[in-house]
Amino acid sequence: MVALGPALGLVLPLLLWAHRSTGTNFRFASYINNYMVLQKEPAGAVIWGFGLTGATVTVTLWRGRETIMKKVTSVKADGDTWMVVLDPMKPGGPFKMMAQQVLGRMNFTQTVHDVLFGDVWLCSGQSNMQMTVLQILNASRELSNTAAYQSVRIFSVSLLQAEQELKDLAAVDLQWSKPNSENLGHGYFRYMSAVCWLFGRQLYDTLQYPIGLISSTWSGTPIEAWSSGRSLKACDIHTQGYVPRDSVTGPFEHSVLWNSMIYPLHNMTLKGVIWYQGEANMNYNTDLYNCTFPALIEDWRHTFHLGSQGQTQLFFPFGFVQLSSVLFEDNPDGGFPQIRWHQTADLGYVPNLKMPNTFMAVAMDLGDKDSPFGSIHPRDKQTVAYRLHLGARAVAYGEKDLIFQGPLPEKVELSDRGLLNLTYSLEIKVQKQDKKIFEISCCSDQKCKWLPAPMNTFSTQSLTLSVNSCHGTVSAVRYAWTPWPCEYKQCPLYHPGSSLPAPPFVASIIDQTAGH
């Protein structure tokens, strides 16, 4: 089964193109097209497609009149696909690429032009990743700011679900394109992802070579839909439980989006992935997200590494956005704090041992009460992308001494003067004294409750909290443990140089540590 989403009218012609027999049965994979970006050195880009069993296929890359390379392969005897790995290429272009199939007297060719080499990033998740540039702050200005970024190429996968893993994409919303106001602002939640685009634009400003961006997103979808059966099994999720329809508004069946919107891409060579998802799990398998998210990352990495013949790194960089803020009228907790914590495998920071080579953009201080798309869809995607690109520069590109995450406490000590002392890993800037954002777990008679712990004194890397309100034992401390911790960019703690917010955390007082 292949089910189309709401974009049926747009994608049906491409769907038919992707599946019809051309008579030659010879073509590139559906995402290999004009204007695309292929992964640059040190990896080799994977080129593949469909052909007649036993045919010889030659892939030629040239620039102007100069032939750069030729690669010869054959269509698999037990199938209808062919594949070559190009030699590693320096960033740049444009190039032309031709695939030629020869079988007896039959000779067919397919050609794509204006191909660039650079870094290819896959962007996935639910509606906050799906929001287009038309929906964000300063949309008109952003939509007009494309002339300098014609080497940042964009591609968008159609909304599809399938019960089995598809070999190739069944449909494409936006084939590889140069960015313009139409394809960046096509509509609400209809290609191209604003976070993806802004992230790529930031990378281009830093790297000054081509960036390829692939958007594969669907709003209201839980992580289970984007996970393979293997990764769900690793977290002991074997059957579909009750799915609450308040937060899960898109496809929710296990693996249906992995099958149709991610797996068909797994042969390509990638630089990395960015991910913005979790809202749909705020009351669905919430307590399992600390397993399902790391398991998804590990499984995507393994699958893309094998599918690309080892060209995509086994531990390719994986960035994500920690959930932003939302206002709940009838549910003061809403599962958001738990998901934020579980997004870090319950450690509060990344990369860590459970989530190596990952990076995170904290977004809890970007709440948007006036968003016309609801507070769950904040419009400041520029800051999100900026924070993501800092993580990419540090983790994916190895930029040294770059601060890419706000300060976390590395030591928590209870004094005998009714104070809790927090020592931070980085310098802190206290924007305001807050009486409620820190809380302590106060226990007596084997019952514990969370009480506010007002901020008391602070220095460049330490902070004290008043715990006089607890007349029992203080067992834990937590920070920003609410769906809406602060007003826009007004959380109490930031790193002074980078203006990055301190992430939320919870820590036991017994072991005297938090995070690190």
Side-chain angles (χ1 to χ4, degrees):
M1 178 274 285
V2 177
L4 285 174
L8 175 60
L10 288 173
V11 305
L12 187 56
L14 280 167
L15 177 69
L16 295 174
W17 169 83
H19 282 287
R20 73 172 186 249
S21 171
T22 63
T24 67
N25 293 323
F26 180 61
R27 64 175 178 88
F28 286 111
S30 59
Y31 57 79
I32 297 175
N33 216 288
N34 303 331
Y35 305 111
M36 77 179 306
V37 177
L38 293 171
Q39 182 58 42
K40 71 168 187 66
E41 63 182 8
V46 173
I47 306 298
W48 72 281
F50 298 87
L52 297 172
T53 301
T56 297
V57 177
T58 303
V59 175
T60 306
L61 188 74
W62 74 92
R63 187 175 190 177
R65 296 182 177 180
E66 179 187 3
T67 299
I68 305 300
M69 75 176 78
K70 284 190 176 185
K71 294 287 181 176
V72 181
T73 186
S74 59
V75 179
K76 295 178 180 178
D78 58 348
D80 61 351
T81 61
W82 52 268
M83 178 181 291
V84 299
V85 178
L86 300 183
D87 297 336
M89 293 286 295
K90 294 184 182 300
F95 297 88
K96 283 188 177 181
M97 183 168 62
M98 182 180 74
Q100 180 183 37
Q101 174 184 260
V102 176
L103 182 61
R105 294 184 178 182
M106 292 189 293
N107 188 330
F108 302 101
T109 62
Q110 296 279 340
T111 304
V112 295
H113 63 80
D114 203 347
V115 174
L116 304 179
F117 284 85
D119 282 339
V120 182
W121 286 84
L122 170 62
C123 311
S124 189
Q126 56 180 112
S127 54
N128 270 302
M129 183 65 88
Q130 196 176 13
M131 285 176 73
T132 69
V133 179
L134 188 65
Q135 298 176 261
I136 66 174
L137 295 178
N138 302 313
S140 296
R141 186 182 69 193
E142 298 291 8
L143 288 172
S144 65
N145 183 22
T146 60
Y149 298 100
Q150 295 300 290
S151 291
V152 181
R153 304 291 175 80
I154 57 178
F155 178 97
S156 188
V157 176
S158 291
L159 280 66
L160 300 167
Q161 48 183 320
E163 291 182 350
Q164 303 294 330
E165 292 177 343
L166 302 183
K167 190 181 296 185
D168 193 15
L169 292 174
V172 173
D173 263 359
L174 178 68
Q175 266 294 355
W176 283 104
S177 304
K178 297 180 180 181
N180 58 49
S181 58
E182 165 60 21
N183 54 35
L184 289 176
H186 188 73
Y188 292 168
F189 303 107
R190 287 174 61 189
Y191 73 80
M192 171 66 180
S193 162
V195 170
C196 191
W197 161 250
L198 295 167
F199 171 75
R201 198 178 72 183
Q202 292 269 7
L203 284 184
Y204 180 81
D205 285 341
T206 300
L207 301 170
Q208 291 294 302
Y209 59 68
I211 301 292
L213 301 171
I214 298 166
S215 174
S216 184
T217 64
W218 197 325
S219 63
T221 50
I223 195 170
E224 290 78 6
W226 297 99
S227 303
S228 74
R230 294 177 300 277
S231 61
L232 293 175
K233 185 178 180 181
C235 297
D236 288 328
I237 300 177
H238 300 280
T239 58
Q240 187 84 50
Y242 167 73
V243 179
R245 300 304 291 171
D246 53 346
S247 60
V248 182
T249 58
F252 57 83
E253 290 87 355
H254 291 176
S255 308
V256 291
L257 303 184
W258 158 261
N259 290 340
S260 57
M261 297 178 68
I262 300 299
Y263 183 80
L265 302 169
H266 81 287
N267 288 340
M268 69 165 49
T269 311
L270 290 180
K271 174 64 176 181
V273 168
I274 58 171
W275 171 262
Y276 195 160
Q277 191 276 335
E279 298 92 341
N281 288 96
M282 64 184 178
N283 55 6
Y284 176 58
N285 285 342
T286 307
D287 294 337
L288 296 174
Y289 204 90
N290 56 357
C291 180
T292 52
F293 186 38
L296 176 142
I297 295 172
E298 182 178 359
D299 186 67
W300 283 28
R301 285 171 165 169
H302 180 75
T303 304
F304 275 85
H305 180 70
L306 289 181
S308 66
Q309 310 296 306
Q311 297 304 307
T312 297
Q313 292 179 12
L314 181 56
F315 290 97
F316 63 72
F318 196 109
F320 62 94
V321 183
Q322 193 179 49
L323 291 191
S324 186
S325 298
V326 64
L327 290 172
F328 292 114
E329 294 182 2
D330 55 352
N331 186 350
D333 185 280
F336 260 48
Q338 289 84 354
I339 290 292
R340 289 189 193 116
W341 187 242
H342 292 337
Q343 284 179 300
T344 67
D346 299 348
L347 291 168
Y349 65 94
V350 295
N352 58 53
L353 288 176
K354 293 182 179 180
M355 300 174 65
N357 217 33
T358 58
F359 55 94
M360 173 176 74
V362 175
M364 68 176 185
D365 65 330
L366 302 180
D368 188 352
K369 291 178 180 177
D370 300 322
S371 172
F373 313 104
S375 65
I376 202 167
H377 297 125
R379 289 168 292 173
D380 182 2
K381 296 299 193 267
Q382 292 90 336
T383 300
V384 169
Y386 174 76
R387 292 173 180 175
L388 271 175
H389 112 281
L390 288 179
R393 283 167 58 186
V395 173
Y397 295 98
E399 193 169 329
K400 302 298 184 184
D401 302 321
L402 178 69
I403 303 297
F404 64 98
Q405 185 169 279
L408 270 169
E410 56 186 1
K411 186 186 296 184
V412 179
E413 296 175 304
L414 192 63
S415 77
D416 55 6
R417 296 181 296 159
L419 296 173
L420 187 65
N421 300 318
L422 308 180
T423 303
Y424 278 81
S425 57
L426 298 171
E427 188 177 351
I428 60 173
K429 173 187 176 183
V430 178
Q431 283 201 152
K432 63 177 182 178
Q433 298 276 73
D434 193 298
K435 296 181 179 180
K436 296 182 178 180
I437 199 166
F438 281 99
E439 297 173 292
I440 50 171
S441 177
C442 181
C443 304
S444 60
D445 299 326
Q446 296 184 329
K447 294 182 179 180
C448 298
K449 60 181 178 179
W450 290 100
L451 300 173
M455 295 168 60
N456 192 296
T457 60
F458 59 88
S459 63
T460 55
Q461 276 188 249
S462 65
L463 177 71
T464 62
L465 308 176
S466 175
V467 296
N468 289 327
S469 59
C470 180
H471 301 293
T473 301
V474 179
S475 63
V477 59
R478 67 188 187 184
Y479 173 71
W481 208 262
T482 172
W484 190 279
C486 59
E487 296 303 308
Y488 179 75
K489 292 190 176 179
Q490 291 300 311
C491 278
L493 299 180
Y494 288 80
H495 177 257
S498 65
S499 297
L500 293 174
F505 75 87
V506 60
S508 169
I509 306 299
I510 297 172
D511 63 13
Q512 305 288 299
T513 61
H516 297 287

